[in-house]
Amino acid sequence: MTETLGGPPRPRPPVADALEAMVSPLGGLVGSTSRLLTPETGALLPVHAAALGDTTQVLPAVADAMRGRPTNGTIDGAAASVDEREARWLAVAEALERYSSSVYSEDQFVWATAAELGDEALDLDTVPSISDAEAAHPACPLVKPDKLAPMRWVRGLSLMTSKPAWIPVPYVYLHLRHASEGERLTAPISTGCAAHTDVHTALAKALCEVIERDAIVLTWLQRLPLPRLDLDRVSDELALLARIAREEQVVTHLFDATTDLGVPTVYLVEVAPHHPATRTRVTCATDLDPYAAAEKVFREAASCRIGLRSRVPERTDPMTFRDPFDGGTYMAAPERAHAFDFLLDSPHRRSLSDLPAPEVAEGRPALRWILQRLRDHGMEAFAVDLTCDEARDIGMSVVRVIVPRLMPLSFVGAAQYRGTPRLYEAPVAMGYPAHAEADLNPWPQPFV
């Protein structure tokens, strides 16, 4: 049991001790953890970071991809919680996910075209794509998917049929140098990676994150006037998190970002009215429990607040953005606060208790429920086992999931996958008008 802010101790999962045992400056997977503070006032909600250090020293493939640059700070884990020790071990778990996404060997891959691999290859006709306009822009680093382009593939599994499948390597691993023109069909990102002691729960959580990122992109690019969420009933933790936010002198606005898939998703816009540099931030969370999703966006907002207030913008031209913090720091500026008016001025309202709430929480039932929602919408889902030795030794499974027909989050300003059909079809299915490409949101993605 561990102490919790403003309440009784909460149960401590057995894996927490194993995760914390991974922390050591001498030989630990995580060199150290630390509590993060905002430059101005500190932080009322415990936010911890877990430092992996420079993985180029132990992972040759990552060293090759980084071309002499260290990975310090690029794949660290971070987490917030009302429970100090929980924040620490959750940060370690996230660091383990990032590390596992970077552990690979060329021996795992086959070199082929999609046409050569046939039906066992992920169908490149279904994956997100940049538009013709994006492809023509000189700053765009991506290309359209090409079934005749040679690339590396890794073995995965269809979650719908349980059959083996070949997945393009850039969809699976971080810190990966593109080995061919064809591999530039996507920019590597951490979306869809999850770790847990139960592999079914890990897969369910990973799928929730992919669905969350789809909602983030649809909301921003299509400027969806999402319904504002009224907290008609709140859990003790949600009430505590809302109070902490007020004490941090920020105003929070919650919105229902649940898409046509029907998986509860909460979008948060946080406004710091008097802050001179970081006025507006956004977070989002998807969970089968809408109250858990609401709690998570408050926790994520605390981490985001610290991260953005600690950053100095490196790039000012949105078309050159490529770092997760580029868009966040740019859009947080007070002079761009009006870009969020399509949400803050939304006339629609909904109660949090009205969000769909399936009677499953985790494990195999949760996984089955999410897969059925995807199946009902004609979507396929794939998984790749990323479990490394360090994770296996403490009883953790690490997975990566890919849902090709959902919109991916991109921090690359010149490549937002605007050629993907779902970007224009989903808003209509959700009851909103859909903007054509020329009328999509011109502001860069603010999510960090």
Side-chain angles (χ1 to χ4, degrees):
M1 308 287 278
T2 57
E3 292 300 321
T4 302
L5 286 177
R10 62 170 54 183
R12 179 178 172 83
V15 74
D17 291 327
L19 284 167
E20 292 194 354
M22 301 180 78
V23 182
S24 171
L26 297 175
L29 178 67
V30 173
S32 63
T33 64
S34 58
R35 181 167 177 173
L36 303 180
L37 302 174
T38 60
E40 300 93 343
T41 61
L44 298 176
L45 186 70
V47 180
H48 279 256
L52 282 168
D54 183 10
T55 57
T56 64
Q57 301 299 310
V58 293
L59 301 176
V62 173
D64 178 63
M66 294 300 291
R67 304 182 185 186
R69 293 175 288 115
T71 60
N72 298 79
T74 64
I75 55 174
D76 292 346
S81 173
V82 297
D83 183 314
E84 179 89 30
R85 295 187 67 184
E86 182 180 71
R88 171 183 160 91
W89 65 257
L90 285 176
V92 175
E94 183 171 276
L96 176 61
E97 293 173 6
R98 302 292 177 84
Y99 173 80
S100 301
S101 298
S102 302
V103 178
Y104 58 89
S105 168
E106 293 291 332
D107 295 339
Q108 298 172 249
F109 309 150
V110 299
W111 184 270
T113 67
E116 290 169 340
L117 293 175
D119 292 342
E120 285 196 12
L122 172 65
D123 186 356
L124 297 188
D125 288 337
T126 67
V127 301
S129 173
I130 58 173
S131 67
D132 290 339
E134 288 179 303
H137 196 284
C140 181
L142 303 186
V143 299
K144 292 188 175 186
D146 183 355
K147 289 185 174 182
L148 299 179
M151 66 183 77
R152 293 168 297 175
W153 302 74
V154 66
R155 208 59 157 159
L157 183 78
S158 166
L159 292 176
M160 302 300 189
T161 66
S162 298
K163 294 181 179 179
W166 290 107
I167 311 296
V169 167
Y171 285 117
V172 179
Y173 294 100
L174 300 176
H175 290 115
L176 185 84
R177 185 192 296 189
H178 291 137
S180 69
E181 187 74 1
E183 287 190 3
R184 294 200 295 118
L185 79 172
T186 190
I189 194 171
S190 64
T191 297
C193 186
H196 201 275
T197 52
D198 174 63
V199 67
H200 302 100
T201 297
L203 289 166
K205 289 183 176 296
L207 285 168
C208 280
E209 184 174 73
V210 174
I211 293 169
E212 167 203 304
R213 302 302 168 86
D214 172 73
I216 290 168
V217 175
L218 293 174
T219 296
W220 189 253
L221 287 182
Q222 284 287 357
R223 285 172 286 186
L224 301 181
L226 301 176
R228 186 183 292 272
L229 280 175
D230 295 322
L231 299 181
D232 54 331
R233 296 202 301 269
V234 297
S235 62
D236 290 342
E237 181 163 330
L238 185 54
L240 174 60
L241 289 165
R243 177 178 63 78
I244 291 174
R246 290 193 297 271
E247 291 178 5
E248 291 272 14
Q249 299 184 354
V250 296
V251 181
T252 54
H253 307 268
L254 299 182
F255 299 88
D256 176 18
T258 305
T259 69
D260 52 324
L261 296 179
V263 186
T265 302
V266 177
Y267 193 98
L268 179 147
V269 178
E270 179 180 278
V271 180
H274 308 297
H275 198 278
T278 55
R279 173 76 57 85
T280 317
R281 296 169 290 275
V282 304
T283 60
C284 189
T286 296
D287 195 285
L288 299 191
D289 178 357
Y291 288 89
E295 292 166 2
K296 184 178 178 182
V297 290
F298 275 102
R299 294 194 300 268
E300 293 289 333
S303 296
C304 178
R305 190 181 311 137
I306 293 174
L308 289 178
R309 290 182 179 180
S310 303
R311 295 275 177 150
V312 176
E314 296 182 26
R315 286 166 282 273
T316 57
D317 178 1
M319 296 307 288
T320 67
F321 286 178
R322 61 179 185 272
D323 183 88
F325 281 94
D326 285 340
T329 54
Y330 184 84
M331 293 306 300
E335 61 268 25
R336 299 183 185 94
H338 64 279
F340 300 85
D341 286 349
F342 72 92
L343 282 166
L344 298 179
D345 293 343
S346 172
H348 312 295
R349 303 190 80 87
R350 184 167 297 157
S351 296
L352 180 61
S353 63
D354 289 337
L355 266 62
E359 295 181 359
V360 291
E362 56 184 18
R364 192 187 295 268
L367 176 60
R368 286 176 173 168
W369 188 88
I370 298 171
L371 290 177
Q372 187 59 53
R373 297 302 302 169
L374 295 171
R375 189 178 289 113
D376 290 344
H377 287 75
M379 296 182 183
E380 175 67 287
F382 300 89
V384 178
D385 183 7
L386 300 183
T387 308
C388 58
D389 292 342
E390 293 88 346
R392 189 174 292 106
D393 287 346
I394 63 169
M396 297 283 283
S397 293
V398 186
V399 298
R400 165 86 72 180
V401 300
I402 301 97
V403 183
R405 293 191 183 276
L406 292 182
M407 285 298 299
L409 177 66
S410 174
F411 299 116
V412 181
Q416 295 291 305
Y417 305 99
R418 298 183 179 208
T420 307
R422 178 164 174 80
L423 180 56
Y424 309 97
E425 297 169 355
V428 177
M430 295 165 65
Y432 299 106
H435 297 287
E437 181 180 1
D439 296 322
L440 293 175
N441 198 337
W443 293 106
Q445 174 62 247
F447 181 86
V448 175

